[in-house]
Amino acid sequence: MRIICPIKRVPDTAAEKHVDPADHTVDRDRSDPVLNANDEWAIEEALQIAERIPDTEIVALCMGPDAAGVTVRKALSYGLDGAIQITDPAVSGSDAVATARVLAAALAGENFDLIIMGNQSSDARTMLVPGMLAEFLGVPALTYVKDLQIDGDIFTAQRETAGGHVVVRAKGPLVVSVVEAINEPRYPTFKGIMAAKRKPVDVRDLATVGVAAENVGLSGSRTAVVDVTPRPPKEAGRVVTDDGSGRTGAVALADWLVEQKIL
């Protein structure tokens, strides 16, 4: 089996996010970049599949700047076999559609049985790329997966919903996006970290994958951020001292809910 794991370099989830006022894109140089946490669940699931199915190869796929090579090596340190990195200045500012188009083009000449990825990235949270990638590739998509079983080329998934889950299945090759409930990611070992430095990374540009520069980036994206409003600073909370009956606090809470137009 050959598994592709798309990954993304994102700003540190815990850090304050900054937006470039010129083009309304996230300023990725203002905080330390990390491997998207949702992709770690996908990597872990791929590793567990490899432990069950002999001769499984796992390849990371990343679109980003040259500096994303550090993120690629981080992914390889978990035990993946190699990586494909698409690096081109023109991809900067690409939306979900343009991103999916580039990833699909990079995979057009690749053999794969399964593409497994996080259901969203922590910087954009559109949750659109998995489905779009499947559409560009012309393969089925199983999204929001919290449990995945494989029987030959049949994939059966529990798809998380607001009220529980539904069981869906499809024949591979296909795209699967996973949610946090699917597993608990392992930590890279020292041996894995050292081995990652020697694993092959196939670096390609847009010309190599066959995508025109005018179809990606800010100008080639289907969507655009037209305005950004900074998050307002935190304000001191309102303290209500109750007289012990509970009535004072209850009335104050009800009045506040009315003021906020919640009730």
Side-chain angles (χ1 to χ4, degrees):
M1 174 173 288
R2 192 163 194 256
I3 302 175
I4 306 294
C5 286
I7 62 170
K8 189 176 183 182
R9 171 184 182 261
V10 297
D12 188 347
T13 309
E16 183 72 20
K17 306 299 186 298
H18 301 275
V19 175
D20 188 330
D23 57 16
H24 297 151
T25 60
V26 176
D27 188 344
R28 302 178 185 280
D29 296 324
R30 294 281 296 273
S31 62
D32 294 332
V34 296
L35 172 64
N36 181 46
N38 298 59
D39 297 336
E40 294 185 29
W41 307 325
I43 289 172
E44 174 62 30
E45 193 65 20
L47 292 170
Q48 291 186 21
I49 292 170
E51 291 168 353
R52 299 193 303 268
I53 301 177
D55 301 320
T56 294
E57 179 188 16
I58 308 173
V59 178
L61 172 64
C62 181
M63 185 185 88
D66 288 336
V70 176
T71 304
V72 171
R73 295 293 175 185
K74 170 65 182 297
L76 291 174
S77 71
Y78 285 91
L80 279 61
D81 299 292
I84 301 168
Q85 181 179 351
I86 303 101
T87 297
D88 196 298
V91 304
S92 178
S94 294
D95 67 356
V97 180
T99 298
R101 177 180 288 113
V102 173
L103 296 179
L107 293 175
E110 298 287 331
N111 293 319
F112 63 87
D113 302 285
L114 169 64
I115 297 172
I116 187 164
M117 58 199 301
N119 69 313
Q120 64 179 321
S121 61
S122 60
D123 57 345
R125 301 188 186 278
T126 65
M127 296 176 278
L128 298 174
V129 173
M132 290 179 175
L133 177 58
E135 181 67 20
F136 278 122
L137 291 172
V139 300
L142 302 181
T143 56
Y144 300 92
V145 173
K146 69 174 187 176
D147 181 81
L148 182 65
Q149 302 297 324
I150 304 173
D151 183 7
D153 61 353
I154 301 299
F155 295 78
T156 302
Q158 292 183 17
R159 186 176 189 271
E160 189 174 72
T161 66
H165 72 267
V166 295
V167 176
V168 291
R169 61 177 52 89
K171 184 177 181 180
L174 79 171
V175 174
V176 170
S177 67
V178 302
V179 297
E180 183 179 4
I182 195 165
N183 57 47
E184 182 67 32
R186 68 192 71 186
Y187 290 100
T189 63
F190 178 74
K191 181 180 179 181
I193 294 171
M194 298 305 295
K197 299 178 181 180
R198 303 186 299 272
K199 291 184 177 179
V201 177
D202 181 2
V203 180
R204 308 173 185 176
D205 58 14
L206 286 180
T208 303
V209 301
V211 176
E214 58 264 28
N215 292 326
V216 298
L218 288 171
S219 60
S221 293
R222 300 286 186 90
T223 60
V225 178
V226 297
D227 193 18
V228 175
T229 301
R231 182 174 58 190
K234 290 184 178 180
E235 299 179 354
R238 177 181 173 187
V239 178
V240 176
T241 302
D242 191 71
D243 59 6
S245 66
R247 178 176 176 79
T248 303
V251 171
L253 175 59
D255 290 343
W256 182 84
L257 292 172
V258 172
E259 291 172 8
Q260 302 299 315
K261 297 182 179 181
I262 298 175
L263 291 180

